[in-house]
Amino acid sequence: MGEEKPKSVGVWPAVKPFANGGASGMLATCVIQPVDMIKVRIQLGQGSAADVTKNMLKNEGVRAFYNGLSAGLLRQATYTTARLGTFRILTNKAIEANDGKPLPLYQKALCGLTAGAIGACVGSPADLALIRMQADATLPVAQRRNYTNAFQALYRIVTDEGVLSLWKGAGPTVVRAMALNMGMLASYDQSVEFCKDTLGLGEAATVVGASSVSGFFAAACSLPFDYVKTQIQKMQPDAEGKYPYTGSLDCTMKTLKAGGPFKFYTGFPVYCVRIAPHVMMTWIFLNQIQKLEKSVGL
């Protein structure tokens, strides 16, 4: 038995960042899902946050706010697990290459960009299922897909549209993830230093303040890409079999022509409210998970 312990110790440190990252992201998603649902409806032209909330409660009930939760959890189990796990591995390797010295901010941002791209590639199928499930109720009855859960959605997408369709909109998804991680990581460390060193805030206040700032910049950097991604993923062919957009660039140009640059920031307040708490709660849950692991000797 004495020879088995080193093996488990050797495996767990490699798995731990991925497992912790996925678990913290899934817990945060359970809390944020209703806000995310409202954000998607706003982007699809259903009105303001108040209008969307009122109409959903009146016409669909409370359960409608959790449509697509299974896909949201699957997305976190893939995207956030890969993103945070990869980020930790990359930063550890970079620290080793830097002779153990702390990394400058730009290197952390580069690690975040890379980890975001990898995570988005892994999580793109679940993200596609999530968008479609959330947007389904906004479509005419004849056009609704009526997916019952994330796995059935993925199965039907593969069956009806082919395996490669799972990565429909993957381009803007990856770019959005890179922008989001750059904004989040680049601002978080600076905010922590400012809150601690300049303002003299305690640990709890620092986490809340820094997470809110990083959430705002993550939203500001990523919303234009998120808007394009949503439009691409939810589009359906017309009677002649033509799609409204040929790709991300076409969607971007048509949106600019129709509504100007601010059209990309449709639903920004709700999107920011959704991103900032999710960032904050992910870090809080991650911190609690790590404390629990230490208490049980993991």
Side-chain angles (χ1 to χ4, degrees):
M1 293 182 64
E3 295 179 356
E4 294 179 358
K5 187 175 181 180
K7 291 181 182 180
S8 62
V9 171
V11 172
W12 177 240
V15 176
K16 187 176 180 179
F18 294 93
N20 291 352
S24 60
M26 292 172 75
L27 289 170
T29 292
C30 289
V31 180
I32 293 300
Q33 178 69 14
V35 180
D36 191 44
M37 185 69 182
I38 294 172
K39 182 266 296 183
V40 171
R41 293 290 183 90
I42 291 174
Q43 288 183 330
L44 296 177
Q46 299 298 300
S48 65
D51 291 335
V52 169
T53 302
K54 182 176 68 175
N55 291 334
M56 287 181 65
L57 285 173
K58 180 180 178 181
N59 301 324
E60 304 172 59
V62 176
R63 291 185 61 182
F65 290 96
Y66 285 91
N67 285 342
L69 178 60
S70 61
L73 293 175
L74 180 60
R75 180 178 183 273
Q76 293 300 318
T78 52
Y79 167 64
T80 299
T81 296
R83 175 185 62 157
L84 294 186
T86 302
F87 177 71
R88 183 54 54 207
I89 290 176
L90 291 175
T91 52
N92 288 342
K93 293 292 184 182
I95 290 173
E96 289 180 12
N98 202 31
D99 297 326
K101 298 177 183 178
L103 297 178
L105 188 58
Y106 81 92
Q107 289 188 8
K108 292 180 180 178
L110 288 175
C111 290
L113 284 170
T114 305
I118 293 173
C121 288
V122 175
S124 186
D127 191 57
L128 174 63
L130 173 62
I131 292 296
R132 288 193 175 185
M133 292 177 73
Q134 289 179 326
D136 207 44
T138 68
L139 299 174
V141 176
Q143 296 181 13
R144 293 180 186 178
R145 299 179 174 96
N146 297 314
Y147 299 139
T148 56
N149 57 63
F151 295 103
Q152 195 238 11
L154 295 175
Y155 174 78
R156 282 180 53 186
I157 291 171
V158 172
T159 303
D160 299 338
E161 306 171 45
V163 175
L164 294 181
S165 293
L166 291 173
W167 281 270
K168 182 180 293 184
T173 298
V174 170
V175 175
R176 171 193 176 275
M178 294 173 69
L180 187 149
N181 280 277
M182 181 184 68
M184 181 175 68
L185 296 173
S187 62
Y188 185 76
D189 285 350
Q190 293 298 320
S191 299
V192 168
E193 293 177 6
F194 179 77
C195 289
K196 279 186 176 181
D197 302 336
T198 304
L199 300 181
L201 300 180
E203 181 181 354
T206 295
V207 171
V208 173
S211 297
S212 299
V213 171
S214 66
F216 173 83
F217 281 103
C221 291
S222 64
L223 181 55
F225 304 101
D226 184 80
Y227 181 88
V228 173
K229 174 182 71 69
T230 300
Q231 300 305 311
I232 293 294
Q233 289 182 327
K234 66 97 176 180
M235 66 180 181
Q236 287 194 347
D238 57 19
E240 299 178 355
K242 294 182 179 180
Y243 285 94
Y245 309 112
T246 59
S248 300
L249 181 60
D250 183 52
C251 178
T252 300
M253 298 308 296
K254 287 181 178 178
T255 301
L256 276 173
K257 184 178 180 180
F262 288 107
K263 182 66 174 178
F264 294 105
Y265 284 91
T266 301
F268 178 74
V270 175
Y271 185 72
C272 189
V273 167
R274 182 259 176 189
I275 290 293
H278 194 280
V279 170
M280 179 181 68
M281 285 185 289
T282 297
W283 289 115
I284 291 174
F285 281 128
L286 181 60
N287 179 261
Q288 294 301 311
I289 290 171
Q290 290 173 334
K291 285 184 178 180
L292 177 62
E293 289 173 342
K294 286 182 179 180
S295 68
V296 297
L298 291 176

